Amino acid sequence: MPALSMVTLLAFSGPAIAQETPVGLWKIIDDVSGKPRAILRITESAGALSGKLEKLFREPGDEPNPRCIACTDARKDQPVAGLTILTGLRRENQSMVWSSGEILDPESGRIYKSKATLTDGGRKLEVRGYFGVPMLG
């Protein structure tokens, strides 16, 4: 995965009506190449969202089963497929914005603050990883 400046997640199976929550399966689209990178499952528990990588889309020559070698927490050396990379996002009032969470970039091991916004009638989820304030992400 590239450094997390902006990652767009597209609904894996397009909803027939507007989606009010990001809970479900999402396809991660690389913000540089525009290619699908992975499938992320977002779940909610006690009002907080978390996201786990379910499947990676690999290019020929890529490591078939990459591990989070650069991670410095309990995820160190864990397989990237199955890794929880998104934690603690909470909805801002009744808006389509979730914030105050963290997102892990498995390639660098860096953990960023994160913010997610549902767009396009709930069919897209824009996730932003940043240091400091969201405008500097």
Side-chain angles (χ1 to χ4, degrees), residues 54-72:
E54 293 240 332
K55 178 182 178 179
L56 303 178
F57 299 121
R58 311 306 296 156
E59 296 284 332
D62 284 351
E63 171 68 35
N65 299 305
R67 294 183 171 274
C68 195
I69 296 167
C71 290
T72 58

Side-chain angles (χ1 to χ4, degrees), residues 21-118:
T21 174
V23 170
L25 289 175
W26 295 86
K27 186 182 296 183
I28 298 176
I29 305 298
D30 186 301
D31 57 331
V32 175
S33 71
K35 293 182 179 180
R37 296 295 307 253
I39 299 293
L40 181 73
R41 178 177 300 277
I42 296 180
T43 58
E44 183 176 0
S45 178
L49 300 178
S50 63
K52 183 180 195 177
L53 291 171
E54 293 240 332
K55 178 182 178 179
L56 303 178
F57 299 121
R58 311 306 296 156
E59 296 284 332
D62 284 351
E63 171 68 35
N65 299 305
R67 294 183 171 274
C68 195
I69 296 167
C71 290
T72 58
D73 59 12
R75 295 172 282 200
K76 181 158 182 66
D77 296 324
Q78 297 299 312
V80 173
L83 202 61
T84 298
I85 64 164
L86 186 64
T87 58
L89 283 171
R90 295 195 174 272
R91 190 175 209 159
E92 292 182 3
N93 301 314
Q94 294 300 314
S95 70
M96 295 297 216
V97 177
W98 286 258
S99 61
S100 303
E102 293 184 333
I103 190 164
L104 167 74
D105 176 357
E107 284 188 1
S108 69
R110 290 187 183 132
I111 298 174
Y112 300 89
K113 292 179 183 178
S114 66
K115 182 175 185 175
T117 306
L118 273 174

